[in-house]
Amino acid sequence: MLFDVSNETMPREDLEALQLRRLKSLVEKVYYNVPFYQNRFNEMNLRPEQIRSLSDLKYLPFTEKQDLRNNYPFGLFAVPRDNVVRVHASSGTTGKATVVGYTQRDVNTWAELMARSLMCAGASRRDIVHNAYGYGLFTGGLGMHYGVERLGATILPISGGGTRRQVMLMRDFGSTILCSTPSYALFLYESIIAAGMSIDDLKLHTGIFGAEPWSENMRSEIESKLRIKALDIYGLSEIMGPGVGMECCDAQDGLHIWEDHFLIEIIDPETGEQLPLGETGELVITTLTKEAQPLIRYRTRDITRIDAIPCRCGRTHRRITRIQGRSDDMLIIRGVNVFPQQIETILLETQGVAPHYQLILTREGSLDMLEVKVEVDEKMFSDEIKHLQRIEAKIQKNIKEFLGVTAKVTLSEPRSIERSEGKAKRIIDLRNA
């Protein structure tokens, strides 16, 4: 099912012609309306009219999260503040908050793309969508909300928190689609079982999960326990929010980026050089249609690759593969680069281990130490200590063999690791404490 057939199946030649027209218009707009970009262009002796083809994208300057912080709160707006109808912002827990503004047209476009994404996931007007993404300054809740309404389905704006109540309402209202972080979906499952309910009491058929990295093994875990099709959604508040890209229910193999609105490229995160199509690197996005706060070549720090193979769903928009990690949350442990998802994959391939874990980093003298704390399931926890020790040794051996890092592995009893109603807190870095 397609929400916008003509745009979602546009021939590549027409799509790229549209992208070029929009890119040229965007470059002129930011040059003459955003002092930050005008200064950057001037520093590079670059004028808007020098951008003549999509291949000229590489000559444009990057935009980074720190640029949004440096221009806090409204310094990157390309329209008068009076034209901005909504503002979202980050929590600012890692520095000054990043602020993003939207005109009414931006909000309408966002709803349109979220409706596309929902139908891409198999949603229809008949669905009841249980939206457990947080509402407020975070883009997740409202982004999904307006998309569901644009589609014409029924939205349950439950937001985060009150898990027991969520479970009850999901059953009583007959919710058919769950939207949340993947870790919260598993927490909901545990709460369903703890409440003495059965999965058969629910009508869920699909889950749309995002806002935190997750692996194929976690997808299998969610699909098996909740008996749903679990799909990946992509978005980031600096660009738009959820709905920048969506995995289709037909192929369930990579996320279609809505290329009529977003121009994507992959770069080497170290050198900033563009990489050939198909190579893995950092995803960079240029917003082609945003009015209030357009961004040129925004460095997402998400590691992925572009898949140009035509999808069997019929959409012509290219896909990115599942996010493999972030160039800036990459852990360097004794000189070895490690992504948390690599460890997650090893853990979830181990029988009896639950998908709830934490990576605890400390320092002894000048040496970095890594502890992997992971829960085991009820059955495993009741086993003999010798058996548990063998499991710990096996995980430790696999981490050493695959990642080249020595780790202390600690198996924990079920539900001993704190659950989050938002993004799971996977990493506790105490090295500079």
Side-chain angles (χ1 to χ4, degrees):
M1 292 187 292
L2 281 72
F3 182 79
D4 182 350
V5 176
S6 61
N7 279 314
E8 292 179 56
T9 61
M10 189 182 294
R12 288 297 308 179
E13 188 178 348
D14 294 346
L15 183 55
E16 290 174 8
L18 175 65
Q19 288 180 319
L20 180 57
R21 286 199 303 275
R22 289 180 167 176
L23 178 63
K24 288 180 174 178
S25 173
L26 167 71
V27 169
E28 281 208 10
K29 180 177 182 175
V30 298
Y31 183 81
Y32 291 109
N33 293 285
V34 185
F36 164 78
Y37 281 118
Q38 189 172 76
N39 292 337
R40 282 282 175 91
F41 277 45
N42 290 341
E43 288 167 7
M44 301 169 72
N45 293 319
L46 182 67
R47 299 278 300 177
E49 55 271 22
Q50 291 175 263
I51 303 303
R52 300 187 183 94
S53 70
L54 290 178
S55 62
D56 290 336
L57 180 67
K58 59 180 176 290
Y59 300 124
L60 292 170
F62 289 118
T63 309
E64 305 205 37
K65 187 185 280 285
Q66 190 59 44
D67 296 320
L68 275 71
R69 292 178 179 140
N70 292 344
N71 288 278
Y72 174 89
F74 303 145
L76 291 184
F77 283 6
V79 298
R81 210 278 308 151
D82 291 357
N83 292 359
V84 173
V85 300
R86 191 192 299 176
V87 172
H88 283 278
S90 69
S91 62
T93 52
T94 56
K96 192 166 278 189
T98 54
V99 176
V100 181
Y102 302 78
T103 64
Q104 186 57 57
R105 185 178 164 193
D106 289 335
V107 171
N108 294 344
T109 300
W110 190 6
E112 191 86 4
L113 296 186
M114 262 311 311
R116 261 194 214 181
S117 300
L118 284 156
M119 195 165 272
C120 190
S124 74
R125 291 171 55 89
R126 296 185 297 277
D127 279 301
I128 298 175
V129 180
H130 185 100
N131 186 16
Y133 286 120
Y135 282 64
L137 286 175
F138 174 60
T139 53
L142 282 171
M144 184 65 71
H145 185 109
Y146 281 85
V148 173
E149 290 188 342
R150 178 69 184 83
L151 177 64
T154 303
I155 182 79
L156 176 57
I158 190 76
S159 193
T163 302
R164 290 185 63 180
R165 184 164 174 262
Q166 297 224 14
V167 168
M168 182 187 72
L169 294 181
M170 209 155 37
R171 178 196 60 192
D172 295 349
F173 291 0
S175 300
T176 53
I177 294 178
L178 169 64
C179 302
S180 72
T181 59
S183 58
Y184 190 57
L186 288 173
F187 186 32
L188 280 170
Y189 168 77
E190 291 177 351
S191 301
I192 291 165
I193 301 305
M197 291 168 51
S198 163
I199 296 302
D200 293 333
D201 295 329
L202 305 179
K203 295 181 179 177
L204 290 176
H205 60 72
T206 298
I208 298 175
F209 304 115
E212 67 182 17
W214 55 309
S215 63
E216 283 298 320
N217 288 335
M218 184 174 273
R219 187 209 296 271
S220 299
E221 186 94 15
I222 292 171
E223 290 190 333
S224 167
K225 287 184 169 173
L226 288 172
R227 298 180 200 163
I228 59 175
K229 180 167 276 196
L231 296 162
D232 202 359
I233 188 168
Y234 182 72
L236 58 170
S237 60
E238 295 86 351
I239 295 298
M240 185 181 75
V244 173
M246 181 71 216
E247 198 171 40
C248 64
C249 61
D250 306 83
Q252 212 174 1
D253 183 21
L255 300 101
H256 292 278
I257 298 294
W258 305 126
E259 291 184 278
D260 47 340
H261 293 270
F262 307 107
L263 191 53
I264 56 174
E265 57 185 312
I266 297 293
I267 64 165
D268 182 323
E270 298 297 324
T271 66
E273 295 294 320
Q274 271 188 348
L275 294 176
L277 187 64
E279 288 202 14
T280 298
E282 180 184 330
L283 178 66
V284 172
I285 300 178
T286 297
T287 64
L288 292 174
T289 55
K290 278 197 75 177
E291 288 185 329
Q293 194 169 327
L295 295 180
I296 299 273
R297 301 190 81 196
Y298 182 74
R299 294 190 61 166
T300 68
R301 302 292 177 181
D302 289 325
I303 303 298
T304 183
R305 68 177 174 84
I306 297 172
D307 183 355
I309 298 172
C311 184
R312 71 183 188 210
C313 73
R315 293 175 179 85
T316 53
H317 297 232
R318 285 173 175 160
R319 291 168 287 170
I320 58 169
T321 56
R322 179 184 289 280
I323 303 299
Q324 298 173 21
R326 287 180 55 80
S327 62
D328 59 356
D329 73 359
M330 180 177 69
L331 302 170
I332 301 178
I333 304 170
R334 299 188 187 185
V336 179
N337 298 336
V338 177
F339 287 104
Q341 275 183 287
Q342 294 174 308
I343 293 180
E344 180 184 291
T345 298
I346 291 171
L347 294 176
L348 295 185
E349 286 174 350
T350 308
Q351 192 172 9
V353 168
H356 302 291
Y357 66 95
Q358 284 184 327
L359 309 181
I360 303 166
L361 292 153
T362 55
R363 184 162 287 157
E364 291 184 9
S366 59
L367 287 180
D368 291 338
M369 310 299 289
L370 170 64
E371 179 183 4
V372 179
K373 189 175 176 183
V374 60
E375 286 184 10
V376 294
D377 60 28
E378 295 280 359
K379 184 180 175 185
M380 181 68 68
F381 189 66
S382 60
D383 275 352
E384 294 178 357
I385 290 178
K386 280 186 180 177
H387 186 204
L388 294 174
Q389 288 174 333
R390 282 198 293 273
I391 296 294
E392 285 180 349
K394 181 182 177 184
I395 295 172
Q396 191 172 32
K397 178 172 176 285
N398 287 341
I399 291 174
K400 181 67 177 177
E401 284 186 352
F402 289 107
L403 303 179
V405 171
T406 300
K408 175 187 176 186
V409 176
T410 305
L411 300 183
S412 303
E413 62 182 290
R415 293 176 293 283
S416 61
I417 293 178
E418 184 181 357
R419 302 294 194 263
S420 169
E421 291 173 341
K423 293 184 182 184
K425 187 176 176 60
R426 302 288 197 205
I427 302 167
I428 300 174
D429 194 342
L430 304 173
R431 286 178 290 183
N432 296 313

Short mmCIF file of all heavy atoms in Angstrom, two decimals, residues 347-378:
data_model
loop_
_atom_site.label_atom_id
_atom_site.label_comp_id
_atom_site.label_asym_id
_atom_site.label_seq_id
_atom_site.Cartn_x
_atom_site.Cartn_y
_atom_site.Cartn_z
N LEU A 347 25.52 -10.82 22.49
CA LEU A 347 24.70 -11.23 23.65
C LEU A 347 23.44 -11.96 23.20
O LEU A 347 23.08 -13.01 23.75
CB LEU A 347 24.31 -10.00 24.47
CG LEU A 347 25.46 -9.26 25.17
CD1 LEU A 347 24.94 -8.01 25.86
CD2 LEU A 347 26.15 -10.17 26.18
N LEU A 348 22.77 -11.41 22.19
CA LEU A 348 21.48 -11.99 21.80
C LEU A 348 21.63 -13.27 21.00
O LEU A 348 20.65 -13.97 20.75
CB LEU A 348 20.66 -10.96 21.04
CG LEU A 348 20.25 -9.74 21.88
CD1 LEU A 348 19.33 -8.82 21.10
CD2 LEU A 348 19.58 -10.17 23.18
N GLU A 349 22.84 -13.58 20.60
CA GLU A 349 23.08 -14.88 19.95
C GLU A 349 23.33 -15.97 21.00
O GLU A 349 23.52 -17.12 20.65
CB GLU A 349 24.28 -14.77 19.00
CG GLU A 349 23.96 -14.01 17.71
CD GLU A 349 25.18 -13.78 16.85
OE1 GLU A 349 26.30 -14.04 17.33
OE2 GLU A 349 25.00 -13.32 15.70
N THR A 350 23.35 -15.57 22.27
CA THR A 350 23.63 -16.52 23.35
C THR A 350 22.31 -16.99 23.97
O THR A 350 21.52 -16.18 24.44
CB THR A 350 24.49 -15.85 24.44
OG1 THR A 350 25.65 -15.27 23.82
CG2 THR A 350 24.91 -16.86 25.48
N GLN A 351 22.09 -18.28 23.94
CA GLN A 351 20.83 -18.83 24.45
C GLN A 351 20.67 -18.56 25.94
O GLN A 351 21.62 -18.72 26.71
CB GLN A 351 20.80 -20.34 24.19
CG GLN A 351 19.41 -20.94 24.42
CD GLN A 351 19.35 -22.39 23.97
OE1 GLN A 351 20.37 -22.98 23.64
NE2 GLN A 351 18.16 -22.94 23.96
N GLY A 352 19.49 -18.14 26.33
CA GLY A 352 19.19 -17.90 27.73
C GLY A 352 19.48 -16.49 28.20
O GLY A 352 19.19 -16.14 29.34
N VAL A 353 20.06 -15.68 27.33
CA VAL A 353 20.38 -14.29 27.69
C VAL A 353 19.27 -13.37 27.21
O VAL A 353 18.79 -13.50 26.08
CB VAL A 353 21.74 -13.88 27.07
CG1 VAL A 353 21.95 -12.40 27.19
CG2 VAL A 353 22.86 -14.63 27.78
N ALA A 354 18.83 -12.45 28.06
CA ALA A 354 17.75 -11.52 27.70
C ALA A 354 18.33 -10.25 27.06
O ALA A 354 19.50 -9.93 27.27
CB ALA A 354 16.96 -11.15 28.96
N PRO A 355 17.52 -9.53 26.28
CA PRO A 355 18.04 -8.33 25.59
C PRO A 355 18.08 -7.10 26.48
O PRO A 355 17.73 -6.01 26.07
CB PRO A 355 17.04 -8.16 24.44
CG PRO A 355 15.77 -8.71 24.96
CD PRO A 355 16.14 -9.83 25.88
N HIS A 356 18.47 -7.27 27.73
CA HIS A 356 18.61 -6.14 28.65
C HIS A 356 20.04 -6.16 29.19
O HIS A 356 20.44 -7.12 29.86
CB HIS A 356 17.60 -6.25 29.80
CG HIS A 356 16.19 -6.30 29.33
ND1 HIS A 356 15.55 -5.22 28.76
CD2 HIS A 356 15.29 -7.32 29.31
CE1 HIS A 356 14.32 -5.55 28.42
NE2 HIS A 356 14.13 -6.82 28.74
N TYR A 357 20.79 -5.11 28.87
CA TYR A 357 22.19 -5.12 29.24
C TYR A 357 22.69 -3.70 29.45
O TYR A 357 22.06 -2.72 29.05
CB TYR A 357 23.02 -5.80 28.14
CG TYR A 357 23.03 -5.03 26.85
CD1 TYR A 357 24.07 -4.14 26.55
CD2 TYR A 357 22.01 -5.17 25.93
CE1 TYR A 357 24.08 -3.41 25.37
CE2 TYR A 357 22.01 -4.46 24.74
CZ TYR A 357 23.04 -3.58 24.47
OH TYR A 357 23.04 -2.86 23.31
N GLN A 358 23.85 -3.62 30.10
CA GLN A 358 24.55 -2.34 30.25
C GLN A 358 26.04 -2.58 30.05
O GLN A 358 26.57 -3.63 30.43
CB GLN A 358 24.30 -1.74 31.64
CG GLN A 358 22.93 -1.11 31.79
CD GLN A 358 22.73 -0.43 33.12
OE1 GLN A 358 23.28 -0.88 34.13
NE2 GLN A 358 21.95 0.63 33.15
N LEU A 359 26.69 -1.59 29.47
CA LEU A 359 28.14 -1.61 29.31
C LEU A 359 28.71 -0.60 30.28
O LEU A 359 28.41 0.59 30.19
CB LEU A 359 28.53 -1.26 27.88
CG LEU A 359 27.80 -2.04 26.77
CD1 LEU A 359 28.31 -1.61 25.39
CD2 LEU A 359 28.00 -3.54 26.94
N ILE A 360 29.52 -1.07 31.22
CA ILE A 360 30.06 -0.19 32.27
C ILE A 360 31.56 -0.05 32.05
O ILE A 360 32.31 -1.04 32.08
CB ILE A 360 29.76 -0.79 33.66
CG1 ILE A 360 28.24 -0.98 33.82
CG2 ILE A 360 30.29 0.13 34.76
CD1 ILE A 360 27.85 -1.84 34.98
N LEU A 361 31.99 1.19 31.82
CA LEU A 361 33.39 1.47 31.54
C LEU A 361 34.04 2.15 32.73
O LEU A 361 33.52 3.14 33.25
CB LEU A 361 33.50 2.37 30.30
CG LEU A 361 33.07 1.69 28.99
CD1 LEU A 361 32.56 2.70 28.00
CD2 LEU A 361 34.22 0.90 28.41
N THR A 362 35.15 1.61 33.17
CA THR A 362 35.91 2.20 34.28
C THR A 362 37.38 2.25 33.86
O THR A 362 37.76 1.78 32.79
CB THR A 362 35.76 1.36 35.56
OG1 THR A 362 36.15 0.01 35.28
CG2 THR A 362 34.33 1.38 36.06
N ARG A 363 38.21 2.80 34.74
CA ARG A 363 39.64 2.88 34.43
C ARG A 363 40.44 2.46 35.66
O ARG A 363 40.21 2.96 36.76
CB ARG A 363 40.00 4.30 34.01
CG ARG A 363 41.45 4.46 33.57
CD ARG A 363 41.62 5.74 32.77
NE ARG A 363 41.03 5.61 31.44
CZ ARG A 363 40.64 6.65 30.70
NH1 ARG A 363 40.77 7.85 31.17
NH2 ARG A 363 40.13 6.47 29.51
N GLU A 364 41.33 1.51 35.47
CA GLU A 364 42.24 1.09 36.54
C GLU A 364 43.64 1.48 36.15
O GLU A 364 44.20 0.90 35.20
CB GLU A 364 42.13 -0.42 36.76
CG GLU A 364 40.78 -0.83 37.37
CD GLU A 364 40.70 -2.32 37.68
OE1 GLU A 364 41.75 -3.01 37.60
OE2 GLU A 364 39.60 -2.78 38.00
N GLY A 365 44.18 2.49 36.83
CA GLY A 365 45.47 3.03 36.39
C GLY A 365 45.26 3.70 35.05
O GLY A 365 44.42 4.57 34.90
N SER A 366 45.98 3.27 34.04
CA SER A 366 45.81 3.83 32.70
C SER A 366 45.03 2.91 31.78
O SER A 366 44.89 3.17 30.60
CB SER A 366 47.19 4.10 32.08
OG SER A 366 47.92 2.88 32.01
N LEU A 367 44.49 1.82 32.35
CA LEU A 367 43.81 0.83 31.52
C LEU A 367 42.29 0.99 31.59
O LEU A 367 41.71 1.10 32.67
CB LEU A 367 44.18 -0.58 31.97
CG LEU A 367 45.59 -1.08 31.64
CD1 LEU A 367 45.76 -2.49 32.16
CD2 LEU A 367 45.82 -1.02 30.13
N ASP A 368 41.66 0.99 30.42
CA ASP A 368 40.21 0.99 30.35
C ASP A 368 39.69 -0.42 30.66
O ASP A 368 40.23 -1.40 30.17
CB ASP A 368 39.73 1.40 28.96
CG ASP A 368 40.00 2.85 28.67
OD1 ASP A 368 40.15 3.63 29.63
OD2 ASP A 368 40.04 3.21 27.48
N MET A 369 38.66 -0.49 31.48
CA MET A 369 38.06 -1.78 31.81
C MET A 369 36.60 -1.77 31.35
O MET A 369 35.89 -0.77 31.50
CB MET A 369 38.11 -2.01 33.34
CG MET A 369 39.48 -1.81 33.97
SD MET A 369 40.74 -2.92 33.33
CE MET A 369 40.20 -4.48 34.03
N LEU A 370 36.16 -2.88 30.79
CA LEU A 370 34.78 -3.00 30.31
C LEU A 370 34.07 -4.13 31.05
O LEU A 370 34.56 -5.26 31.09
CB LEU A 370 34.76 -3.30 28.81
CG LEU A 370 33.41 -3.69 28.21
CD1 LEU A 370 32.40 -2.54 28.30
CD2 LEU A 370 33.57 -4.13 26.74
N GLU A 371 32.95 -3.79 31.66
CA GLU A 371 32.08 -4.82 32.24
C GLU A 371 30.79 -4.88 31.44
O GLU A 371 30.17 -3.84 31.19
CB GLU A 371 31.74 -4.52 33.70
CG GLU A 371 30.82 -5.58 34.30
CD GLU A 371 30.39 -5.28 35.74
OE1 GLU A 371 30.75 -4.21 36.25
OE2 GLU A 371 29.68 -6.11 36.32
N VAL A 372 30.41 -6.06 31.02
CA VAL A 372 29.15 -6.26 30.31
C VAL A 372 28.18 -6.93 31.28
O VAL A 372 28.39 -8.08 31.67
CB VAL A 372 29.34 -7.14 29.05
CG1 VAL A 372 28.00 -7.36 28.36
CG2 VAL A 372 30.34 -6.50 28.11
N LYS A 373 27.20 -6.20 31.68
CA LYS A 373 26.21 -6.72 32.64
C LYS A 373 24.95 -7.06 31.85
O LYS A 373 24.40 -6.19 31.16
CB LYS A 373 25.92 -5.64 33.68
CG LYS A 373 25.10 -6.09 34.85
CD LYS A 373 25.01 -4.94 35.86
CE LYS A 373 24.11 -5.32 37.02
NZ LYS A 373 23.95 -4.18 37.95
N VAL A 374 24.52 -8.30 31.92
CA VAL A 374 23.38 -8.71 31.09
C VAL A 374 22.47 -9.64 31.90
O VAL A 374 22.94 -10.46 32.68
CB VAL A 374 23.87 -9.39 29.79
CG1 VAL A 374 24.70 -10.62 30.07
CG2 VAL A 374 22.71 -9.72 28.87
N GLU A 375 21.19 -9.50 31.65
CA GLU A 375 20.23 -10.35 32.35
C GLU A 375 20.11 -11.71 31.67
O GLU A 375 20.29 -11.82 30.45
CB GLU A 375 18.84 -9.70 32.34
CG GLU A 375 18.69 -8.53 33.27
CD GLU A 375 17.27 -8.00 33.28
OE1 GLU A 375 16.37 -8.65 32.71
OE2 GLU A 375 17.07 -6.92 33.83
N VAL A 376 19.80 -12.72 32.47
CA VAL A 376 19.45 -14.03 31.91
C VAL A 376 17.96 -14.25 32.15
O VAL A 376 17.33 -13.57 32.97
CB VAL A 376 20.26 -15.17 32.55
CG1 VAL A 376 21.72 -15.05 32.20
CG2 VAL A 376 20.09 -15.18 34.07
N ASP A 377 17.38 -15.20 31.40
CA ASP A 377 15.95 -15.46 31.60
C ASP A 377 15.73 -16.31 32.85
O ASP A 377 16.67 -16.81 33.46
CB ASP A 377 15.33 -16.07 30.35
CG ASP A 377 15.97 -17.41 29.97
OD1 ASP A 377 16.48 -18.11 30.87
OD2 ASP A 377 15.97 -17.74 28.78
N GLU A 378 14.48 -16.48 33.22
CA GLU A 378 14.12 -17.17 34.47
C GLU A 378 14.68 -18.59 34.51
O GLU A 378 15.23 -19.04 35.51
CB GLU A 378 12.59 -17.24 34.60
CG GLU A 378 11.90 -15.90 34.75
CD GLU A 378 11.97 -15.36 36.17
OE1 GLU A 378 12.54 -16.06 37.03
OE2 GLU A 378 11.46 -14.25 36.39
#
